[in-house]
Short mmCIF file of all heavy atoms in Angstrom, two decimals:
data_model
loop_
_atom_site.label_atom_id
_atom_site.label_comp_id
_atom_site.label_asym_id
_atom_site.label_seq_id
_atom_site.Cartn_x
_atom_site.Cartn_y
_atom_site.Cartn_z
N LEU A 119 -24.27 -127.04 58.21
CA LEU A 119 -24.34 -125.69 57.71
C LEU A 119 -23.17 -124.91 58.11
O LEU A 119 -22.61 -124.08 57.30
CB LEU A 119 -25.71 -125.10 58.27
CG LEU A 119 -25.85 -123.55 57.96
CD1 LEU A 119 -25.95 -123.31 56.33
CD2 LEU A 119 -27.11 -122.96 58.62
N HIS A 122 -20.08 -126.01 56.04
CA HIS A 122 -20.17 -125.50 54.63
C HIS A 122 -19.96 -124.08 54.60
O HIS A 122 -19.21 -123.49 53.79
CB HIS A 122 -21.60 -125.74 54.14
CG HIS A 122 -22.01 -125.15 52.83
ND1 HIS A 122 -21.50 -125.60 51.62
CD2 HIS A 122 -22.66 -124.03 52.53
CE1 HIS A 122 -21.88 -124.86 50.66
NE2 HIS A 122 -22.64 -123.87 51.20
N SER A 123 -20.49 -123.30 55.55
CA SER A 123 -20.49 -121.88 55.61
C SER A 123 -18.98 -121.38 55.81
O SER A 123 -18.41 -120.50 55.20
CB SER A 123 -21.24 -121.14 56.69
OG SER A 123 -22.54 -121.66 56.63
N VAL A 126 -16.94 -121.98 52.53
CA VAL A 126 -17.30 -120.87 51.57
C VAL A 126 -16.52 -119.52 52.04
O VAL A 126 -16.00 -118.94 51.23
CB VAL A 126 -18.79 -120.69 51.42
CG1 VAL A 126 -19.04 -119.50 50.39
CG2 VAL A 126 -19.44 -121.94 50.86
N GLY A 149 -18.99 -115.10 52.70
CA GLY A 149 -19.08 -116.52 52.63
C GLY A 149 -19.57 -117.16 53.92
O GLY A 149 -20.31 -118.03 53.85
N HIS A 152 -23.48 -116.52 53.87
CA HIS A 152 -24.29 -116.57 52.65
C HIS A 152 -25.51 -117.51 52.71
O HIS A 152 -26.46 -117.21 52.06
CB HIS A 152 -23.38 -117.01 51.37
CG HIS A 152 -23.15 -118.44 51.38
ND1 HIS A 152 -22.27 -119.10 52.27
CD2 HIS A 152 -23.50 -119.40 50.53
CE1 HIS A 152 -22.20 -120.45 51.98
NE2 HIS A 152 -23.03 -120.63 50.95
N ASP A 153 -25.50 -118.61 53.46
CA ASP A 153 -26.58 -119.52 53.61
C ASP A 153 -27.35 -119.45 54.84
O ASP A 153 -28.21 -120.36 55.17
CB ASP A 153 -26.06 -120.98 53.41
CG ASP A 153 -26.00 -121.35 51.92
OD1 ASP A 153 -26.64 -120.74 51.06
OD2 ASP A 153 -25.28 -122.35 51.62
N LYS A 156 -31.11 -120.36 55.37
CA LYS A 156 -31.61 -121.64 55.53
C LYS A 156 -32.02 -121.97 56.99
O LYS A 156 -32.87 -122.69 57.33
CB LYS A 156 -30.50 -122.73 55.12
CG LYS A 156 -30.19 -122.74 53.66
CD LYS A 156 -29.39 -123.86 53.27
CE LYS A 156 -29.19 -123.75 51.67
NZ LYS A 156 -28.72 -124.85 50.99
N HIS A 193 -33.64 -118.93 50.06
CA HIS A 193 -32.82 -118.70 51.26
C HIS A 193 -31.74 -117.62 51.06
O HIS A 193 -31.32 -116.93 51.99
CB HIS A 193 -32.07 -120.01 51.62
CG HIS A 193 -30.97 -120.49 50.77
ND1 HIS A 193 -31.27 -121.35 49.74
CD2 HIS A 193 -29.66 -120.19 50.69
CE1 HIS A 193 -30.11 -121.57 49.01
NE2 HIS A 193 -29.13 -120.87 49.54
N HIS A 217 -26.05 -114.84 45.64
CA HIS A 217 -25.00 -115.79 45.50
C HIS A 217 -25.21 -117.09 44.65
O HIS A 217 -24.32 -117.70 44.25
CB HIS A 217 -24.58 -116.19 46.95
CG HIS A 217 -25.36 -117.18 47.68
ND1 HIS A 217 -26.30 -116.74 48.62
CD2 HIS A 217 -25.44 -118.52 47.66
CE1 HIS A 217 -26.94 -117.83 49.16
NE2 HIS A 217 -26.42 -118.93 48.55
N HIS A 218 -26.48 -117.27 44.33
CA HIS A 218 -26.75 -118.36 43.41
C HIS A 218 -26.87 -117.81 41.97
O HIS A 218 -26.80 -118.61 41.03
CB HIS A 218 -28.08 -119.06 43.70
CG HIS A 218 -27.90 -119.98 44.86
ND1 HIS A 218 -27.40 -121.31 44.70
CD2 HIS A 218 -28.09 -119.93 46.17
CE1 HIS A 218 -27.33 -121.93 45.88
NE2 HIS A 218 -27.73 -121.08 46.76
N VAL A 232 -18.22 -115.46 45.99
CA VAL A 232 -19.02 -116.35 46.88
C VAL A 232 -19.60 -117.56 46.10
O VAL A 232 -19.65 -118.67 46.56
CB VAL A 232 -20.15 -115.67 47.69
CG1 VAL A 232 -20.97 -116.55 48.58
CG2 VAL A 232 -19.49 -114.50 48.57
N ALA A 235 -16.82 -119.93 45.38
CA ALA A 235 -16.43 -120.60 46.65
C ALA A 235 -17.50 -121.59 47.03
O ALA A 235 -17.18 -122.61 47.64
CB ALA A 235 -16.21 -119.55 47.70
N ASP A 236 -18.70 -121.28 46.81
CA ASP A 236 -19.82 -122.32 47.03
C ASP A 236 -19.58 -123.63 46.30
O ASP A 236 -19.72 -124.70 46.86
CB ASP A 236 -21.14 -121.65 46.64
CG ASP A 236 -22.34 -122.07 47.55
OD1 ASP A 236 -22.10 -122.80 48.49
OD2 ASP A 236 -23.40 -121.51 47.33
N GLU A 237 -19.16 -123.44 45.13
CA GLU A 237 -18.91 -124.62 44.19
C GLU A 237 -17.60 -125.40 44.78
O GLU A 237 -17.65 -126.60 44.79
CB GLU A 237 -18.61 -124.14 42.75
CG GLU A 237 -18.07 -125.18 41.78
CD GLU A 237 -19.08 -126.25 41.31
OE1 GLU A 237 -20.22 -126.05 41.73
OE2 GLU A 237 -18.75 -127.17 40.67
N ALA A 239 -16.65 -125.41 47.89
CA ALA A 239 -17.01 -126.10 49.06
C ALA A 239 -17.67 -127.42 48.73
O ALA A 239 -17.42 -128.43 49.39
CB ALA A 239 -18.01 -125.23 49.90
N ILE A 240 -18.52 -127.53 47.64
CA ILE A 240 -19.12 -128.75 47.29
C ILE A 240 -17.96 -129.75 46.82
O ILE A 240 -18.03 -130.91 47.19
CB ILE A 240 -20.17 -128.37 46.14
CG1 ILE A 240 -21.30 -127.60 46.69
CG2 ILE A 240 -20.70 -129.73 45.45
CD1 ILE A 240 -22.24 -127.01 45.65
N MET A 244 -17.96 -130.47 51.30
CA MET A 244 -18.84 -129.79 52.33
C MET A 244 -19.98 -129.16 51.63
O MET A 244 -20.13 -127.95 51.43
CB MET A 244 -18.01 -128.81 53.03
CG MET A 244 -17.12 -129.50 54.13
SD MET A 244 -15.87 -128.54 54.81
CE MET A 244 -14.58 -128.60 53.62
N ASP A 245 -20.91 -130.15 51.23
CA ASP A 245 -22.05 -129.74 50.32
C ASP A 245 -23.28 -129.65 51.08
O ASP A 245 -23.61 -130.58 51.79
CB ASP A 245 -22.15 -130.71 49.23
CG ASP A 245 -23.27 -130.54 48.35
OD1 ASP A 245 -23.83 -129.45 48.36
OD2 ASP A 245 -23.60 -131.48 47.58
N ILE A 246 -23.97 -128.60 51.08
CA ILE A 246 -25.33 -128.59 51.63
C ILE A 246 -26.26 -128.12 50.53
O ILE A 246 -27.50 -128.04 50.89
CB ILE A 246 -25.46 -127.80 52.93
CG1 ILE A 246 -25.22 -126.27 52.68
CG2 ILE A 246 -24.65 -128.31 53.96
CD1 ILE A 246 -25.79 -125.32 53.68
N GLU A 247 -25.73 -127.74 49.35
CA GLU A 247 -26.65 -127.19 48.30
C GLU A 247 -27.36 -128.37 47.55
O GLU A 247 -28.33 -128.28 46.96
CB GLU A 247 -25.96 -126.31 47.37
CG GLU A 247 -25.23 -125.19 47.99
CD GLU A 247 -26.02 -124.05 48.59
OE1 GLU A 247 -27.32 -124.11 48.45
OE2 GLU A 247 -25.64 -123.05 49.07
N PHE A 251 -27.38 -127.90 42.86
CA PHE A 251 -26.67 -126.61 42.84
C PHE A 251 -26.30 -126.35 41.34
O PHE A 251 -25.81 -127.28 40.67
CB PHE A 251 -25.36 -126.72 43.65
CG PHE A 251 -24.49 -125.41 43.53
CD1 PHE A 251 -24.84 -124.35 44.36
CD2 PHE A 251 -23.48 -125.31 42.67
CE1 PHE A 251 -24.14 -123.13 44.33
CE2 PHE A 251 -22.74 -124.15 42.61
CZ PHE A 251 -22.96 -123.14 43.46
FE1 LIG B 13 -23.76 -122.43 50.07
#
Side-chain angles (χ1 to χ4, degrees):
L119 177 62
H122 172 77
S123 306
V126 177
H152 79 290
D153 273 337
K156 293 189 180 195
H193 70 267
H217 76 264
H218 281 279
V232 175
D236 217 356
E237 171 73 4
I240 293 168
M244 282 164 280
D245 176 16
I246 61 162
E247 304 287 1
F251 180 83

